[in-house]
């Protein structure tokens, strides 16, 4: 018999500090925040299922005609779910960068928005040339917001290029794994012959890196909510003083 009838420990109640009736702009931010939470929930569920359930053959794998090359590669539904969990967790950060850009009116446009770019004053191309100057750099306009600073230091856990320091030894490996999964060919198994354009990893490494991303994403979601609250409270205090 269960001690508690409600699954209270499964509740993840993190919401923006807006009060009804909501303005149209607040509704947009609430909708975006809901989307971020749902995508986090989806990535976490996929990671949990692949990490805890037995690796039984799924019916979709039974008639899949694959050629055995002796590398013990796993092309199962479970392995694909694990890859999806990794990609979903990684993409959360750019979605949060989009939220920050809109809410704090940083001024990045279109494809220039990313979780790394949101903290810069200028965007520099591969030749070292400035191709975009950010109108309102967030670390200049909101330097008094301690949660903005917390998010700034959290982004240091993400690798971008060698000349920029990061704060975790896993950053470059996670960055490379994401690039190989999205744009190249990263296979899970044992490398049994020389390869020229494909790479190998293990399910355990994908699983561990996904877990690291999920922990960072949860911290960031909490920081984002608190940063918005700090900003609103600051505006309220300024209005009262006026």
């Amino acid at each position: 018999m269960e001690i508690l009838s409600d699954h209270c420990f499964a509740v993840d109640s993190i919401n923006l500090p807006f009060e009804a009736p909501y303005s149209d702009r607040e509704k947009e931010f609430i909708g975006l925040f809901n989307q971020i939470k749902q995508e986090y929930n989806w990535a976490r569920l996929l990671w949990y299922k692949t990490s805890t359930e037995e690796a039984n053959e799924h019916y979709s794998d039974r008639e899949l005609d694959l050629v055995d090359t002796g590398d013990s590669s796993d092309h199962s539904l479970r392995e694909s779910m694990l890859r999806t969990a990794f990609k979903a967790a990684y993409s959360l950060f750019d979605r949060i960068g989009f939220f920050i850009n809109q809410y704090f009116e940083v001024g990045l446009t279109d494809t220039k928005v990313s979780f790394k770019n949101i903290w810069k004053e200028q965007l520099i191309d591969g030749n070292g040339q400035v191709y975009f100057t950010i109108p309102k750099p967030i670390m200049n306009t909101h330097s008094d917001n301690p949660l903005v600073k917390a998010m700034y230091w959290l982004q240091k856990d993400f690798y971008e290029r060698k000349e920029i320091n990061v704060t975790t030894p896993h950053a470059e490996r996670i960055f490379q794994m994401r690039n190989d999964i999205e744009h190249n060919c990263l296979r899970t198994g044992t490398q049994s012959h020389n390869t020229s354009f494909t790479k190998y990893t293990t399910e355990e490494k994908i699983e561990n890196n996904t877990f690291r991303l999920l922990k960072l994403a949860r911290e960031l979601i909490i920081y984002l909510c608190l940063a918005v609250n700090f900003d609103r409270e600051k505006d309220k205090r300024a209005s009262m003083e006026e």
Side-chain angles (χ1 to χ4, degrees), residues 227-239:
V228 172
N229 184 64
F230 183 93
D231 186 67
R232 287 175 64 83
E233 291 298 321
K234 175 186 173 183
D235 288 344
K236 287 181 181 178
R237 289 193 297 269
S239 298

Side-chain angles (χ1 to χ4, degrees), residues 142-151 227 230:
H142 292 83
S143 60
D144 60 337
N145 189 324
L147 283 311
V148 167
K149 289 183 178 179
M151 290 190 290
F230 183 93

Side-chain angles (χ1 to χ4, degrees), residues 122-137:
Q122 295 177 324
L123 303 187
I124 301 173
D125 63 21
N127 297 319
Q129 302 297 314
V130 175
Y131 67 91
F132 186 78
T133 299
I134 297 175
K136 298 179 181 178

Side-chain angles (χ1 to χ4, degrees), residues 42-83:
W42 169 238
R44 180 175 60 181
L45 175 64
L46 285 177
W47 175 85
Y48 176 78
K49 288 177 70 67
T50 56
S51 301
T52 59
E53 294 184 357
E54 294 183 7
N56 297 324
E57 184 183 47
H58 191 267
Y59 72 85
S60 65
D61 298 326
R62 292 171 190 164
E63 302 299 328
L64 191 61
D65 188 10
L66 301 174
V67 178
D68 185 3
T69 61
D71 59 2
S72 68
S73 290
D74 183 2
H75 297 288
S76 66
L77 176 68
R78 178 182 178 277
E79 190 265 356
S80 296
M81 290 172 62
L82 183 57
R83 288 170 179 261

Side-chain angles (χ1 to χ4, degrees), residues 73-231:
S73 290
D74 183 2
H75 297 288
S76 66
L77 176 68
R78 178 182 178 277
E79 190 265 356
S80 296
M81 290 172 62
L82 183 57
R83 288 170 179 261
T84 301
F86 176 89
K87 291 189 290 184
Y90 205 106
S91 68
L92 275 167
F93 297 91
D94 283 345
R95 188 92 65 243
I96 292 171
F98 178 76
F99 186 109
I100 294 170
N101 183 61
Q102 294 297 323
Y103 184 84
F104 293 102
E105 300 179 340
V106 178
L108 283 165
T109 58
D110 303 326
T111 57
K112 298 182 183 68
V113 180
S114 74
F115 185 56
K116 292 296 290 186
N117 285 348
I118 206 73
W119 308 101
K120 300 174 182 177
E121 296 185 15
Q122 295 177 324
L123 303 187
I124 301 173
D125 63 21
N127 297 319
Q129 302 297 314
V130 175
Y131 67 91
F132 186 78
T133 299
I134 297 175
K136 298 179 181 178
I138 189 171
M139 293 307 292
N140 293 343
T141 59
H142 292 83
S143 60
D144 60 337
N145 189 324
L147 283 311
V148 167
K149 289 183 178 179
M151 290 190 290
Y152 168 80
W153 285 107
L154 189 146
Q155 62 90 24
K156 291 285 188 180
D157 283 353
F158 284 82
Y159 178 84
E160 186 175 26
R161 56 182 187 268
K162 291 185 180 298
E163 58 268 28
I164 299 178
N165 293 329
V166 294
T167 56
T168 173
H170 305 289
E172 186 174 359
R173 292 195 291 270
I174 291 176
F175 172 86
Q176 190 60 54
M177 177 175 285
R178 188 258 181 182
N179 189 69
D180 289 336
I181 288 177
E182 290 281 16
H183 306 295
N184 301 325
C185 180
L186 185 66
R187 304 161 70 183
T188 55
T190 303
Q191 186 171 344
S192 59
H193 54 276
N194 294 330
T195 60
S196 59
F197 58 86
T198 61
K199 297 180 180 180
Y200 281 84
T201 188
T202 64
E203 287 189 24
E204 182 181 12
K205 289 180 180 179
I206 300 178
E207 181 181 327
N208 290 341
N209 284 339
T210 303
F211 185 56
R212 293 185 179 102
L213 289 172
L214 288 171
K215 289 194 292 184
L216 287 173
R218 180 168 173 75
E219 283 185 59
L220 188 58
I221 290 170
I222 293 172
Y223 289 164
L224 177 62
C225 189
L226 293 174
V228 172
N229 184 64
F230 183 93
D231 186 67

